[in-house]
Amino acid sequence: MHINTVGVVGAGTMGNGIAQACAVSGIAVVMVDIAQAAVDKGLASIDKSLDRLLAKEKISAADKAAALARIKGSTNYDDLKGAQLVIEAATENHELKNTILRQLDALLAPEVIVATNTSSISITQLAAVTQRAERFVGMHFFNPVPMMALVEIIRGLQTSDATHDAVKQLAERLGKTPITVKNAPGFVVNRILVPMINEAFFVLAEGLATPEDIDAGMKLGCNQPIGPLALADMVGLDVCLAVMEVYLKEFGDSKYRPCPLLKEYVAAGRLGRKSGKGVYLY
């Protein structure tokens, strides 16, 4: 299947980032959200992001105009009918995703591929609420989508080779580097990353070093661009805690127990950048 038009459900940070990546690569996009205000905000975010690329001379004014012309914002799901691939990029909530996927499954032609941009929810379980499980796949983009090179392509138990190959080719057309992952909690990147963040909190709780020195050690000793505690603040400490709790439940292994200090910070409302205070002050 050649994908000429991509539908994106959700105009938030991930949705508008995916829409921008497609449009810049010459692919028509229909970006849908439930409210016109959300659609307008998503389009404005894309406009600003393209302006930053223009200022850095990574694109031309003509490139920006062409990309924006390829994006149609809408509050009507019917506008997704012309897409060969629809990517669900709604909030990371299992029931919400199930509701959206059922709507899409009833609306779209049988041959249309449906993907979900989830970072933690089982692809096999999400596929099971549709009648197109073999044409269902996970496409885990990373934030900020226009800048991050990686896409995890997650195969559910039912995902066909043809579906996998089609979305892999699309990811490559977007200038991304896809990796193929079997369905499992956290997939690959978050499975490794979030326990590392959790361990950094154990190190902090034990008083082995200051937050600044922990982060400096990982940056300079492991060549990471950002330390684990600063990254936790960026991701959101509540998100990190929720992921660790999922791992503990799904794997039943005590090595995934959330650090008590992480739980304490979340209980105190110290969620990171979004709350103005986490490990660090913002």
Side-chain angles (χ1 to χ4, degrees):
M1 174 186 287
H2 190 71
I3 297 170
N4 299 310
T5 301
V6 171
V8 179
V9 178
T13 300
M14 297 306 294
N16 70 59
I18 295 167
Q20 176 182 326
C22 291
V24 167
S25 301
I27 299 167
V29 184
V30 179
M31 183 175 69
V32 174
D33 211 310
I34 56 172
Q36 189 61 46
V39 173
D40 292 343
K41 184 177 180 181
L43 292 171
S45 294
I46 294 170
D47 189 81
K48 290 178 182 177
S49 178
L50 292 173
D51 276 341
R52 288 193 291 272
L53 294 175
L54 184 59
K56 295 177 182 177
E57 299 184 345
K58 292 188 176 182
I59 62 171
S60 67
D63 292 333
K64 176 189 173 183
L68 289 175
R70 294 187 189 106
I71 303 172
K72 176 180 180 178
S74 175
T75 58
N76 187 350
Y77 269 51
D78 284 347
D79 289 332
L80 296 168
K81 288 182 177 179
Q84 293 81 45
L85 166 69
V86 175
I87 303 172
E88 172 274 312
T91 304
E92 194 76 346
N93 177 288
H94 201 160
E95 284 309 311
L96 174 62
K97 287 182 182 291
N98 280 347
T99 298
I100 292 171
L101 293 173
R102 289 189 185 101
Q103 287 180 266
L104 292 175
D105 193 47
L107 174 75
L108 300 172
E111 67 273 12
V112 176
I113 295 171
V114 175
T116 178
N117 177 59
T118 180
S119 59
S120 63
I121 300 173
S122 168
I123 304 304
T124 298
Q125 285 185 342
L126 290 174
V129 307
T130 76
Q131 299 300 311
R132 64 185 76 225
E134 72 281 3
R135 288 181 299 283
F136 189 91
V137 69
M139 289 187 79
H140 181 207
F141 290 83
F142 289 76
N143 186 31
V145 176
M147 307 305 296
M148 297 293 281
L150 178 66
V151 177
E152 285 183 314
I153 299 176
I154 306 103
R155 300 187 66 149
L157 185 65
Q158 315 94 319
T159 305
S160 71
D161 290 342
T163 297
H164 167 269
D165 293 347
V167 297
K168 181 180 179 182
Q169 289 169 15
L170 175 72
E172 290 169 344
R173 284 172 64 193
L174 301 185
K176 307 299 184 186
T177 301
I179 63 171
T180 300
V181 182
K182 291 181 180 179
N183 184 60
F187 314 132
V188 167
V189 174
N190 285 341
R191 169 80 175 272
I192 297 168
L193 174 65
V194 181
M196 181 190 73
I197 288 172
N198 192 55
E199 194 63 26
F201 272 93
F202 274 114
V203 170
L204 179 63
E206 292 168 19
L208 300 184
T210 65
E212 293 81 4
D213 282 352
I214 293 169
D215 280 349
M218 294 303 291
K219 288 167 65 179
L220 299 173
C222 299
N223 203 29
Q224 296 181 357
I226 184 172
L229 297 174
L231 181 58
D233 276 353
M234 184 182 297
V235 171
L237 302 193
D238 53 336
V239 175
C240 294
L241 175 58
V243 172
M244 287 304 298
E245 288 174 335
V246 167
Y247 291 171
L248 183 62
K249 177 183 176 182
E250 293 294 326
F251 291 114
D253 190 328
S254 63
K255 74 178 181 179
Y256 295 113
R257 71 198 186 284
C259 176
L261 181 62
L262 173 60
K263 296 170 74 172
E264 192 79 355
Y265 276 24
V266 172
R270 293 175 60 167
L271 307 183
R273 292 191 182 192
K274 60 187 173 186
S275 67
K277 187 176 185 180
V279 178
Y280 301 100
L281 296 177
Y282 298 93

